[in-house]
Amino acid sequence: MALMDQTPVMDVLPWPQGHGFSGTGTWWEYVMSKEERARLDSLMGIALLDEDVCRRLVDDRDDNLLEAFGLSEKTRNWLHAIQATSLTELAQKLVSLGS
């Protein structure tokens, strides 16, 4: 018999936008304990999973979203200055500029 993965399923989006899974607070505590670059990576990952988050990140550069991930004013300004029309393009520019 194979061992089953016991990783809990967590909903990273707060209710009512979330899907009702438990563990949201645990996920946010984990994210906020990380360095800023890791928080930005988490934001990019969520944008892959949620069209609204993707739009808010790529099209709007929504400061409320960026602040929710604890991104500094310097990082938020840097993100606002990047010209990108898709999440893929934004990710490519983040990698090239961050190197």
Side-chain angles (χ1 to χ4, degrees), residues 5-51:
D5 183 6
Q6 296 297 316
T7 304
V9 175
M10 289 185 259
D11 192 359
V12 297
L13 303 173
W15 188 259
Q17 292 85 12
H19 302 288
F21 299 112
S22 63
T24 304
T26 303
W27 187 85
W28 279 106
E29 286 174 28
Y30 169 79
V31 168
M32 298 310 275
S33 73
K34 299 299 175 188
E35 297 292 326
E36 187 170 54
R37 183 61 192 214
R39 293 192 309 270
L40 180 56
D41 289 346
S42 293
L43 173 56
M44 295 292 289
I46 298 302
L48 282 171
L49 300 172
D50 187 286
E51 289 180 24

Side-chain angles (χ1 to χ4, degrees), residues 42-61:
S42 293
L43 173 56
M44 295 292 289
I46 298 302
L48 282 171
L49 300 172
D50 187 286
E51 289 180 24
D52 184 56
V53 172
C54 184
R55 178 192 52 76
R56 290 174 63 196
L57 175 61
V58 176
D59 299 334
D60 304 341
R61 306 293 163 89

Side-chain angles (χ1 to χ4, degrees), residues 1 7 13-14 20 66 72 74 80 85 93 97:
M1 179 184 217
T7 304
L13 303 173
L66 303 178
S72 68
K74 179 180 177 182
H80 285 291
T85 59
K93 291 187 178 187
L97 294 173

